[in-house]
Amino acid sequence: MRVGYFDERLRAAEDTELAIRVSKKYDYAFVKEPLIKVARNHDSLMGNSANYLSAYEIICEKHKDFLSNKILFGLYKVLANYWILKGDYKKAKGYIKKSLEHKLELKTLAQYSAIIIAPFLLKYTYNKKYKNGIPHPTQQGKVVEDNSKDF
C-alpha cells in the first residue's frame, strides 16, 4: 500500500489521518449521497475526548506542511481551549501561539495576552461560559467527562 496503514498511535480520527495521506498522493472527488451507514458507540475509545485531542496533536505535527492554515488554526484553537478549561496555561499558551502562526485573529491575540497577563481571569471567563462542562471536541452539545486521562 503506497500510503501505509492506520497510524497505531491514534485512538481516534485514524480514518481522517489516513484520508490526509491518501489525498497527498491521489486525486479524489466528493460524493454527496451516503454510500454506507455507520453505527457508533460514543462510549467507546472513539467517544473519549482525550483520544481526539491526542489525535489532533499528532495530526497537526505529522501533516503541518500539508494542512491549510485554516484547518491548523482551528485544531490548535480546540487544543488551546481545552487546556485553558483544564487549567494548564502553559500548554494552552503554546497552542494559542501555534494558532496565531496560522491566522492572526484579534480574538485569539486577546486570548494570548490574557493568558500571559491574567490567566485566572481567563479561567474565570471560561468557567462562566462553559459552566456545564468542557465542550467535547467532536460531539456537539456533549461535554468532556473529567474521568478521562489527560494525554
Side-chain angles (χ1 to χ4, degrees):
M1 180 178 222
R2 292 184 180 165
V3 296
Y5 299 102
F6 286 122
D7 185 331
E8 293 182 9
R9 297 175 296 163
L10 301 175
R11 297 290 176 243
E14 59 273 13
D15 53 343
T16 301
E17 194 278 328
L18 180 63
I20 292 168
R21 285 187 280 130
V22 168
S23 69
K24 287 179 174 181
K25 292 201 177 271
Y26 303 100
D27 292 332
Y28 61 92
F30 179 76
V31 178
K32 288 186 179 184
E33 71 179 89
L35 302 175
I36 62 170
K37 288 184 179 183
V38 176
R40 293 185 175 183
N41 176 3
H42 287 291
D43 294 331
S44 67
L45 286 173
M46 196 180 115
N48 183 324
S49 61
N51 290 336
Y52 272 99
L53 294 162
S54 175
Y56 291 170
E57 190 175 58
I58 292 167
I59 289 170
C60 286
E61 186 57 36
K62 192 171 179 179
H63 301 291
K64 63 184 168 196
D65 295 333
F66 181 74
L67 296 173
S68 71
N69 283 331
K70 181 179 179 180
I71 291 171
L72 286 167
F73 173 81
L75 291 173
Y76 285 134
K77 286 288 290 191
V78 167
L79 290 163
N81 289 333
Y82 176 80
W83 289 114
I84 288 169
L85 287 163
K86 292 294 272 183
D88 190 331
Y89 303 116
K90 185 177 181 180
K91 280 186 182 178
K93 181 180 161 187
Y95 286 119
I96 294 169
K97 191 173 179 180
K98 285 182 178 187
S99 73
L100 286 168
E101 292 171 5
H102 298 284
K103 180 180 176 186
L104 188 57
E105 181 186 75
L106 188 58
K107 183 178 173 181
T108 306
L109 197 55
Q111 185 184 39
Y112 187 72
S113 300
I115 208 163
I116 292 170
I117 297 167
F120 61 90
L121 188 56
L122 190 61
K123 174 76 171 179
Y124 172 78
T125 304
Y126 270 59
N127 281 340
K128 196 170 183 176
K129 183 176 180 180
Y130 302 112
K131 63 183 172 225
N132 295 328
I134 300 170
H136 193 283
T138 61
Q139 298 174 35
Q140 194 169 10
K142 288 198 164 200
V143 295
V144 170
E145 298 292 330
D146 261 349
N147 59 5
S148 63
K149 291 182 179 180
D150 294 337
F151 60 101

